[in-house]
Amino acid sequence: MIQKTVTVNSEHGLHARPAALIVKAATKFRSEFYIERDGVKVNGKSIMGVMMLAAENGAVLTLIAQGVDAEYLIEEVSSLIEGGFRL
Amino acid sequence: MRELTVKQLFEDKRKDFALSLVTEPHTINKRIVTPYFNRPGLALAGWLEVFTPERIQIFGEAEVRYLQSLKEQPMLERLRELFKMDIPCVIISKGLSLPPSVEYLANDLNIPIFSSRLSTVQLISQINRYLMDVFALEKTIHATLVDVFGLGILITGKSGIGKSECALDLISRGHSLVGDDMINMRNLNDTIVGRSGREFGHFMEIRGVGVVNVEKMFGIERVRREKTIDLQIELMPWQENTEYERIGLKANYVDHLGVKLPMIYLPISPGKNVSVIVEVAAMNQILKGSGYDAAEDFNRKIHEEIRKQTLFKKVQATENDPKDGNSK
């Protein structure tokens, strides 16, 4: 299992579009993927789950992945979040 | 159909337009080439610059009274100029009539004149509807058309993907079938009206069973002759690496005969109840039409929540900052 802590870096937080981008990136991988915030853990491949986090700009999230390609998943998703969703 | 003869119009609509032929029968073999009509008031007064002779000419009370106000010779001169331009036909409304000399002139120049008992407004609206229908842009496509909660849904997708089976499921859930396999679409005043491409009833091929007659099997209330198409749903096999719409903030459209229709790409896989999803898509489309967009509403609520969190953080930061606390 791989964990990484990231800080949200986008002005309006994780609203629908950024959430969709995270899910889109994560579903490319086979590993299981969760995002945790203040004790709330959601499935990172579920768009409703990710949006329900209501993560604002500067919120600290823990990315948790488990599986064969967990490393790559974490790398891609964290660079997406920290890079402010500029692809 | 993109061509109409005056004869055919007379045969089709004699009753509906309350028509009678004033001139001799040999006059009615003219062609009508546009779906528009004209009121030739100004042309009769002598101004022929922007006159549109290819259109059906409707003489209302204004035209008839104006012609009656003229002396016989000038009146015939004006009409001769009009008739020489090879107009398809003249229809006089309100059961009004012109002097017999006009009739002779029209017979000579081979221009059909009809008299209609309808009022000018009624006649114009009827003719308009008829011509729009005859001259409508049309095409026939491979699809299934159903009426779900009053919404016309065109189901498309590759052969064998389950369009007919989906329609059958919808029919047994109380919705109705317009046509299966071949759908004829027409653009009527920028709405797309669909009907079955075959005129002989509501038959459907169900793989493994064969041909069934939906009307006989489910009753007359489960079939419709035609329906305005409001939404297209394309069924496609589920593919691992394809991105499907998740939230619905981005709308897809498809163009049919110059009209933009909302389009949903629906991935199907075993165990998915497609007809229930089609029902949900229909209801969501109805809500959108009435001004409520669930995707937007949801996104707005998330935005609000995020803003609250941000504010909360700021307040916390200020409280924990001793400098700021001293200054107050």
Side-chain angles (χ1 to χ4, degrees), chain B residues 114-125:
Chain B
F114 295 98
S115 167
S116 164
R117 287 195 310 279
L118 299 184
S119 75
T120 315
V121 172
Q122 278 178 325
L123 179 68
I124 284 174
S125 102

Side-chain angles (χ1 to χ4, degrees), chain B residues 152-199:
Chain B
I153 298 187
L154 189 71
I155 304 172
T156 53
K158 288 209 183 73
S159 199
I161 193 137
K163 296 184 291 292
S164 304
E165 290 75 7
C166 173
L168 195 62
D169 205 6
L170 287 164
I171 296 162
S172 75
R173 294 170 71 88
H175 304 290
S176 44
L177 177 77
V178 185
D180 184 49
D181 201 46
M182 251 169 70
I183 298 297
N184 173 262
M185 302 165 107
R186 285 177 313 144
N187 177 341
L188 296 183
N189 287 320
D190 280 343
T191 58
I192 298 293
V193 177
R195 58 164 66 181
S196 174
R198 299 187 223 92
E199 287 292 332

